[in-house]
Amino acid sequence: MGLSPLEVKEKIKNLSWENKDKYVEWRRHIHMYPELSGQEVETAKFVADKLREIGVDTVIENFGGTTAVVGLIKGKHDITVALRADMDALPMQEKRDVPYKSRVPNVMHSCGHDAHTAILLGAADVLVKMKDHLQGNVKLIFQPCEERMDCDGAKKLIKEGVLENPKVSAIFGVHMFPELPIGKVGTRIGNFMASADIFRVKIKGKGSHASRPHMGVDPILIASQTINSLHHIVSRKVDPLHPAVLTVGKISGGFAENIIPDEVEFAGTVRTFDMELRKQIPKWMEHTIWGTTLSYGGAYEFEYTEGTPPVINDEKTTKFAISMMRDLLGKDAVVELEHPSMGGEDFGEYLLHVPGTFIRLGIRNEEKGITAPLHSSLFDIDEDVIPIGVSVMSYLAFKWVEEHA
Ligand code: NI
């Protein structure tokens, strides 16, 4: 017996809210035992155990030699949608005093990946309970290492075939968002989050006594001129209609007031949405660094590392997501976000290969004191977002395979 569209919606909503306590408990467990990027061993074990308990058809641990867990719920037809959650925490001390406070010193889930993981587990639970009516497959991707570039995140999983076998036709992911109040969800078509690349520059001069600058080559002066010039790239070289950010976030060098050092190092990040611009900016940077350094008689090293690509939400999947979320949560609950963010997120890697949509879930609640931004030591969520997220992810997956079967 098939369910009517109204019955599907009500059932998914009811299951998500009836099991709220259980899903919140999962979130709190993960929150108490956070693990850093690339080290999500216990979290992955917890996830795999829960997926088996729930009755997910296939559970693969250590996918592609990483700590990723990939599950598959099999539906009636040969169409597959993927849902993705990230699992890693950040190297910082939690300062908010709650019973589920991090038990691990200097490690904290301050980006809400604990909630993302619990929400995806909840969605797996709901979808398995709806399996008799599920028209296609749902792939569950529990991804490690979203927060860092130096371990294996989305890119590695894709290389190892996470979007194949069965082939994924669309992907959806969610993220906690303190700028929206609890009960609201937001997304937008197109530019959503920027690419996030990093660079490192070493300026080499010649050390000397501070009182005899003519006998040396001052790398501090060259570095300051270079940084100054680099900041002109966005304002003078980049088309003002294309957003870009170049920030120097770190500088080090020197020993004392009376010494001109041999070298100075600085590092920073470049953000944009435009793939052409992303290729061009490092070339302009090197010209600037080369020219400035040369004019003072110094030398340089320049390293530019491509990080995550921009998150560009596909038009079709995003229109689908917006209309489904309006149907599920009510018209007013869904916000079409006016602006993208210059933040980075490796969900963009998946979107280079498969259409999909990234969604922000509101978590702010002044009455409960939930106002801290992401990556703050006081970060927390209104846990009502867990059943909301579970219902959103389940509903998107269920309806996507139904409409495309
Ligand atoms: Ni995050």
Side-chain angles (χ1 to χ4, degrees), residues 321-353:
I322 290 170
S323 100
M324 288 304 138
M325 292 192 296
R326 284 195 171 138
D327 182 33
L328 179 75
L329 305 170
K331 202 171 179 304
D332 294 341
V334 184
V335 183
E336 279 200 68
L337 298 165
E338 199 179 341
H339 299 292
S341 136
M342 298 310 285
E345 160 63 68
D346 78 354
F347 190 75
E349 299 278 1
Y350 300 103
L351 300 184
L352 294 178
H353 303 270

Side-chain angles (χ1 to χ4, degrees), residues 86 88 90 111-113 116 146-147 175 344-345 358 374-375:
D86 41 13
D88 50 334
L90 285 154
C111 200
H113 298 191
H116 307 162
E146 193 283 319
E147 296 284 2
H175 204 291
E345 160 63 68
F358 203 50
L374 295 165
H375 293 209

Side-chain angles (χ1 to χ4, degrees), residues 49-64:
D49 286 348
K50 288 291 166 236
L51 290 179
R52 285 191 200 99
E53 218 174 283
I54 287 165
V56 167
D57 297 293
T58 316
V59 180
I60 304 171
E61 290 177 79
N62 298 114
F63 185 91

Side-chain angles (χ1 to χ4, degrees), residues 132-179:
D132 290 349
H133 310 283
L134 191 61
Q135 297 301 314
N137 311 315
V138 183
K139 198 175 273 191
L140 312 155
I141 303 173
F142 294 88
Q143 183 208 302
C145 200
E146 193 283 319
E147 296 284 2
R148 293 184 67 101
M149 276 170 56
D150 56 359
C151 57
D152 295 324
K155 202 172 181 175
K156 166 89 171 174
L157 301 190
I158 295 163
K159 207 172 142 213
E160 296 293 333
V162 79
L163 297 175
E164 305 297 323
N165 199 14
K167 194 170 175 58
V168 168
S169 66
I171 187 165
F172 296 96
V174 296
H175 204 291
M176 301 293 109
F177 193 53
E179 284 165 52

Side-chain angles (χ1 to χ4, degrees), residues 199-201 203 223 226-227 230 248 250-252 264-268:
F199 63 85
R200 189 189 66 84
V201 179
I203 303 291
T226 305
I227 291 170
L230 286 174
V248 175
K250 189 181 165 193
I251 181 163
S252 58
V264 170
E265 234 184 278
F266 60 89

